[in-house]
């Protein structure tokens, strides 16, 4: 059988290329379109994230309107409009109707979008479920016309198919508007559009949002700060964490003439001294041509980099919210007794700088019986799905919350009246799927989140302990006050005392007990010290666990 | 600022296309390359899955050898060789060094691979971490030469880069061999290569596997059945579950001349009668040309399909293991007391047929105190990671195991000495990520898994109840036997009886208690009936929960 006509020839006929659009058409759940409810949220999220990125890149305070209209029969129309810089005509089709096309993928600086997939995936989903094209309006300035496009995606080729291309009147000087019809399902509650917008407002105080829901109710999230976030600066990759394969392709395409200038030009934190040091450690000449570097030499270079001390990457590629603003955001949205927040110094995973921020709001009207409420953010975007799969959740669960006055079963979320917000800002957030719902379990990320939580946790512990002490004292005072008159009365009867004697005894008793109370306080203070010692011990235990 | 030079012009310069290889280079964790340990397993899994698919497609009983060699410095060499049909020369580079290229993506029939990503992703990872090319040898028949390639992936273009292209001597008539050097980490235990191969053997009794681990130990999993699995037959999509967007693109590219023939030619289970019925229900003429169908008409057509009764898709596109073989596999690998297995009838999610099979092994030397052991399979491939995110886990956790004699806390895995194997076979398994580690939560899939579990569960319950009854009886007998002589002796002393009387009394007591025991048994039998009734009630409760 093998001989006359090898089977392989027959099988070969079936081999072909798969367009990335066909791939995601079949695998839509990878992009967050698992079900109609999530599809609606994902679409709004992708559009709003893009609008926010565009406004910030353009240095414009964002004003965004989101409208969701119920069309009947599980169909919804979504209209999202921003006051951003707009998009030049010829790029509109590619940006909205071609997967893996964008400006942020190769750029090492913080942004909400990063993959060039999200909004085109929404267009694809709308097209699949209603057959309707995406309607885009965009204008880049007063003296430029507003362009209107109707777009489909040709899934077999992953290319835009232009249904309509027009110039229209638009009373906006600059901005972009997208209109999509899609199958969806609208619900309030957790993981809803309302929640997503509310949480977006917490970490984006410079944003103004107007939201009209399918019931035609309007919710307005007004701007809380006129200050634009610091604009993140694009950086080059840091030598640490660059793998040999990447190094080899960089060497192949570089325009630098020598290995030394290659190292200086293509990486951050490499000056001539460091470059020479790397070459020396690698046993390579600084003046060889990059194109002459063989695989073996590249391997030496990789080793050379590892053995050279290079300072950490600059953090100005990242724009954290800042502890103050994060705390403000929590104060605005959550009614609690105690607030605190912290921003960690920058760290690096696989060559990518990142910063972790944590804020917490404790007590007040929050539910004391159930698990704490966890808000997860990546590059200022709330993450509403897949909490269980997220590095943030793992870090929270692995923190010893009992040291900070909350109850917690082993391996579970802590219990108590608390909201915990965790933000990770990075030039490249490693998500567990294209739908960007959970952060991958890189050990250094988990460690940083835990350290940030512990910083806030210690402040929380001292508040909770103080509160407990006050409670204890006031309980005691109550006790003394109810106790003394009874004793007085009893003694009066027993010893046949006069009214005056009774009062005298009561006063005496009060004095004795107050004195005793002083001693009690001293003992209690000692206890508190023990508590703090214990918290410290707990902390170092945590860190030890980390390593294992 | 907006006027002189719109910002959009500046921003536009950064927009560009992203190759799918660059995308996955940055997002390697999506493909199962999160860490060195997993990377090693993923690579072996992808290569073995491909070998098994190729052998089965070629009608060849698979003989596969897997070798893992430690090279020091966290580097490993992996060599996987099969006796499959081989690959024609010109396709070798694309299959191994181009992402999204393959034969299985557009084909509606069961296979292990489906996306055309896996093996090229392994090549990409090897290249990134060691800079070494993939070495491929393949031969399609005795009268054909063996081809040898060394391949890199050009990540910027997602295209193969041929380092070496040669013809070599190979003592194999047909087959394929791949050799990769990569960064990895080798460990035994759960989620290990050993586990993956062992679990593969359970559900692929026709496969012969030879595995040499880094310690140069050889493990052989011999073939347990000479019978090839039934070859799945390719089908066309079923009309149910085809969305309007897909319908519109199918109408655009079809070669059929009329709507009626389009429906008959492009879909399974549509004959001329059904086609006419669909047209009638859609209010469309059967003889209109497919290219004339507008979006509005396509929408009517979609409605028409929904309102027409069409029989379920054929199941011969799927090749389940079969209850008997699944049970045999469990018997071979797990030492238990009770085995059972079941195969559900085919069902359909989003137009894709699928079959769920469940097998369980209870008791014996399995740990009775901890949670049960869950083995998950998709298209005969063991899934070792992301158990928490999998539809199988959700189904297991949502089953009321107490009805079947296991203990279980709400929302948790059941506790008991049991191994549960769940297999889902489909023309397209919806995984939660490209690394194919967990199945997405489609409600109909979860429902089918639960139904299959319940079928096995009921058989388990009757075994466990019988066992419990026997235990109860034997306890009672022991009790009676220890009790009677003491009573006899006591009475003898009390009443000053003779030895003979004592024996008589003992006999009498034994008789009385045996009689009583008869009654007890009747009561117990009644209890068992109640138990069964209860199990039925539990079952319908389950199904009600399903709907909500």
């Amino acid at each position: 059988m093998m001989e006359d006509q090898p089977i392989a020839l027959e099988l070969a006929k079936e081999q072909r290329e798969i367009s990335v659009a066909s791939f995601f058409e079949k695998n839509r759940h990878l992009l967050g379109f698992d079900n109609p409810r999530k599809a609606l949220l994902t679409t709004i999220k992708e559009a709003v994230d893009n609008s926010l990125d565009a406004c910030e890149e353009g240095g414009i305070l964002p004003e965004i309107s989101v409208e969701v209209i119920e069309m009947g029969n599980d169909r919804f129309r979504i209209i999202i409009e921003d006051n951003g810089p707009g998009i030049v005509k010829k790029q509109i089709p590619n940006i909205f109707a071609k997967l893996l096309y964008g400006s942020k993928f190769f750029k090492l600086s913080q942004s909400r979008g990063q993959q060039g997939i999200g909004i085109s995936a929404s267009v694809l989903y709308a097209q699949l479920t209603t057959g309707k094209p995406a309607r885009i309006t965009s204008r880049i300035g007063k003296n430029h016309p507003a362009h209107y496009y109707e777009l489909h995606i040709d899934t077999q080729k992953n290319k835009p198919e232009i249904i309509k291309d027009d110039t229209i009147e638009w009373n906006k000087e600059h901005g972009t508007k997208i209109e999509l019809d899609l199958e969806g399902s609208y619900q309030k509650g957790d993981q809803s559009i309302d929640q997503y917008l509310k949480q977006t407002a917490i970490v984006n105080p410079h944003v103004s949002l107007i939201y009209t829901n399918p019931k035609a109710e309007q919710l307005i999230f007004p701007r809380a700060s006129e200050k634009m976030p610091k604009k993140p600066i694009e950086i080059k990759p840091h030598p640490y964490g660059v793998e040999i394969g990447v190094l080899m392709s960089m060497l192949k395409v570089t325009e630098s003439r020598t290995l030394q200038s290659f190292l200086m030009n293509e990486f951050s934190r490499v000056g001539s001294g460091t470059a020479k040091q790397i070459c020396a450690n690698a046993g390579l000449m600084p003046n060889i041509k990059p194109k002459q570097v063989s695989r073996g030499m590249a391997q030496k270079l990789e080793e050379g980099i590892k053995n050279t001390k290079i300072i950490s990457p600059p953090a100005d590629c990242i724009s954290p919210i800042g502890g103050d603003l994060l705390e403000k955001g929590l104060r605005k949205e959550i009614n609690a007794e105690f607030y605190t927040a912290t921003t960690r110094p920058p760290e690096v995973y696989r060559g990518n700088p990142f910063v972790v921020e944590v804020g917490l709001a404790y007590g007040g009207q929050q539910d004391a019986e159930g698990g704490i409420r966890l808000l997860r953010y990546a590059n200022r975007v709330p993450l509403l799905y897949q909490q269980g799969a997220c590095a943030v959740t793992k870090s929270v669960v692995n923190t010893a919350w009992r040291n900070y006055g909350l109850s917690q079963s082993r391996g579970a979320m802590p219990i108590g009246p608390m909201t915990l917000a965790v933000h990770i800002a990075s030039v490249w957030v490693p998500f567990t799927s294209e739908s960007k719902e959970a952060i991958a379990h890189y050990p250094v990320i988990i460690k940083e989140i835990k350290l940030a939580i512990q910083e806030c946790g210690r402040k929380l512990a001292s508040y909770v302990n103080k509160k407990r002490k006050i409670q204890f004292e006031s309980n005691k005072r109550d006790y003394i006050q109810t106790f003394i008159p009874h004793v007085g009365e009893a003694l009066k009867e027993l010893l046949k005392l006069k009214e005056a004697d009774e009062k005298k005894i009561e006063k005496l008793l009060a004095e004795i007990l107050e004195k005793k109370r002083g001693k009690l306080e001293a003992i209690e203070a000692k206890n508190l010290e023990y508590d703090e010692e214990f918290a410290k011990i707990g902390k170092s235990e945590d860190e030890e666990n980390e390593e294992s």
Side-chain angles (χ1 to χ4, degrees), chain A:
Chain A
M1 168 170 86
M2 270 297 145
E3 277 327 299
D4 311 326
Q5 179 68 4
I7 304 160
L9 296 177
E10 192 54 40
L11 297 177
K13 290 176 194 156
E14 317 238 317
Q15 298 285 355
R16 51 182 142 156
E17 193 170 340
I18 302 146
S19 95
V20 69
S22 304
F23 176 75
F24 283 120
E25 184 180 344
K26 255 193 159 170
N27 283 311
R28 67 181 66 170
H29 51 274
L30 299 181
L31 300 170
F33 297 93
D34 317 32
N35 59 59
R37 185 182 180 210
K38 202 167 159 192
L40 205 61
L41 173 67
T42 300
T43 303
I44 286 169
K45 200 167 170 246
E46 296 296 347
V48 170
D49 289 355
N50 280 2
S51 288
L52 292 176
D53 273 346
C55 287
E56 288 170 18
E57 277 189 287
I60 301 160
L61 278 169
E63 265 163 39
I64 294 170
S65 97
V66 175
E67 198 174 347
V68 182
I69 303 163
E70 190 154 6
M71 316 279 285
N73 213 357
D74 299 331
R75 301 283 186 277
F76 288 82
R77 175 163 297 162
I78 286 175
I79 307 167
I80 289 136
E81 189 175 329
D82 67 45
N83 63 335
I87 300 165
V88 298
K89 178 178 191 317
K90 75 161 193 228
Q91 280 179 346
I92 295 172
N94 277 338
I95 287 175
F96 290 96
K98 181 182 178 66
L99 293 164
L100 288 179
Y101 186 92
S103 60
K104 302 161 199 166
F105 185 85
F106 294 100
K107 207 165 155 180
L108 284 183
S109 76
Q110 178 183 335
S111 57
R112 292 171 184 80
Q114 56 190 31
Q115 323 190 106
I117 292 183
I119 195 66
S120 343
S122 304
V123 171
L124 179 63
Y125 177 80
Q127 165 178 328
L128 278 173
T129 53
T130 69
K132 290 269 193 80
R135 281 89 68 197
I136 318 288
T137 309
S138 193
R139 191 176 181 188
I140 64 171
K142 197 159 62 175
N143 300 333
H144 296 260
H147 293 286
Y148 174 79
Y149 270 105
E150 294 188 358
L151 299 169
H152 268 311
I153 297 183
D154 178 338
T155 50
Q156 288 190 353
K157 295 184 188 136
N158 185 29
K159 275 190 178 157
E161 196 181 325
I162 296 167
I163 309 292
K164 200 167 183 177
D165 168 2
D166 217 343
T167 302
I168 60 162
E169 284 300 311
W170 202 28
N171 59 2
K172 210 161 208 164
E173 279 191 18
H174 53 87
T176 302
K177 175 167 122 176
I178 177 165
E179 208 179 310
L180 289 172
D181 287 7
L182 49 87
E183 196 183 305
S185 149
Y186 177 77
Q187 255 174 288
K188 293 205 174 188
D190 280 353
Q191 305 185 322
S192 66
I193 300 167
D194 309 53
Q195 264 302 320
Y196 159 72
L197 294 174
K198 187 179 171 181
Q199 291 191 26
T200 300
I202 292 180
V203 291
N204 295 280
H206 63 295
V207 172
S208 165
L209 273 169
I210 300 172
Y211 168 47
T212 314
N213 73 17
K215 314 216 174 316
E217 297 156 350
Q218 208 168 60
L219 274 91
I220 298 174
F221 300 89
R223 177 171 296 136
S225 154
E226 297 288 325
K227 219 180 107 197
M228 285 290 284
K230 188 175 67 77
K231 200 169 172 174
I233 289 162
E234 189 177 348
I235 59 158
K236 301 208 152 130
H238 192 270
Y240 288 168
V242 171
E243 288 164 314
I244 182 167
V246 175
L247 203 55
M248 284 166 68
S249 32
M250 287 174 79
L251 284 159
K252 211 182 278 176
V253 298
T254 183
E255 288 171 7
S256 303
R257 303 255 194 108
T258 67
L259 184 56
Q260 184 187 333
S261 63
F262 163 76
L263 291 168
M264 290 166 64
N265 294 336
E266 306 287 346
F267 294 97
S268 66
R269 299 302 202 200
V270 181
S272 65
T274 308
K276 275 180 193 145
Q277 190 59 52
I278 291 172
C279 294
N281 288 345
L284 296 171
M285 299 293 289
N287 59 353
I288 52 170
K289 288 185 187 153
K291 294 199 176 35
Q292 287 174 342
V293 175
S294 66
R295 201 197 68 84
M297 288 156 83
Q299 200 164 350
K300 282 189 190 164
L301 191 59
E302 197 193 12
E303 289 299 314
I305 289 171
K306 273 188 199 152
N307 298 327
T308 307
K309 222 181 145 98
I310 308 169
I311 48 171
S312 293
D316 50 7
C317 52
I318 305 174
S319 162
I321 302 162
D324 284 359
L325 272 180
L326 185 55
E327 196 181 313
K328 243 183 224 165
L330 287 171
R331 279 181 192 277
K332 208 179 76 182
E333 298 292 339
I334 290 146
N335 199 344
E337 294 159 21
F338 174 78
Y339 302 84
T340 184
T342 190
T343 300
R344 294 277 309 161
E347 252 292 354
V348 181
Y349 84 92
R350 244 178 60 205
N352 300 311
F354 73 96
V355 166
V356 168
E357 303 180 278
V358 164
L360 66 80
Y362 177 86
Q365 284 156 19
Q366 301 184 88
D367 175 24
E369 303 304 321
I372 64 158
R373 189 154 160 249
L374 177 61
L375 308 180
R376 296 172 295 133
Y377 294 95
N379 285 1
R380 293 172 183 258
V381 177
L383 311 179
L384 301 186
Y385 278 91
Q386 293 202 33
Q387 179 165 308
C390 189
V392 171
T393 310
K394 187 170 180 191
S395 313
V396 172
V397 161
N398 286 352
T399 300
W401 285 98
R402 273 186 278 187
N403 298 343
Y404 312 135
L406 296 184
S407 59
Q408 184 186 26
S409 321
R410 198 180 168 76
M413 288 287 271
I415 308 280
M418 189 172 93
T419 298
L420 181 73
V422 178
H423 179 225
I424 162 169
S426 178
V427 297
W428 183 264
V429 180
F431 290 107
T432 59
S433 89
E434 288 87 343
S435 55
K436 305 200 289 185
E437 295 161 340
I439 295 160
H441 290 200
Y442 281 91
V444 58
I445 294 179
I446 291 177
K447 188 175 174 187
E448 273 301 308
I449 299 174
K450 281 184 69 178
L451 289 174
I453 289 176
Q454 287 162 2
E455 278 181 27
C456 288
R458 283 192 286 276
K459 290 184 217 156
L460 174 66
S462 90
Y463 173 79
V464 171
N465 283 335
K466 212 177 285 167
K467 193 178 162 182
R468 210 180 272 160
K469 192 178 143 189
I470 291 167
Q471 186 105 42
F472 186 61
E473 256 186 57
S474 109
N475 285 351
K476 225 161 39 198
R477 189 155 308 173
D478 290 353
Y479 178 70
I480 291 167
Q481 276 162 0
T482 36
F483 177 67
I484 291 176
H486 293 285
V487 174
E489 208 181 295
L491 285 174
K492 182 184 133 196
E493 258 179 48
L494 213 67
L495 311 173
K496 313 279 171 202
L497 299 178
K498 276 175 264 169
E499 201 74 7
D501 287 325
E502 186 190 342
K503 287 284 161 245
K504 213 187 274 171
I505 284 177
E506 281 181 13
K507 204 181 149 219
L508 196 70
L509 278 172
E511 273 172 28
I512 292 169
L513 284 159
E514 279 293 325
K515 240 185 234 164
K516 183 100 183 170
R517 196 155 80 91
K519 274 189 203 158
L520 270 176
E521 259 169 28
I523 291 167
E524 206 184 318
K526 198 67 203 164
N527 277 344
L528 258 182
E529 270 172 41
Y530 288 143
D531 279 4
E532 272 157 30
E533 280 304 308
F534 178 65
K536 273 180 220 157
I537 293 163
K539 193 199 145 212
S540 51
E541 261 173 15
D542 276 5
E543 277 159 9
E544 271 165 35
N545 289 339
E546 194 71 55
E547 302 309 319
S548 68

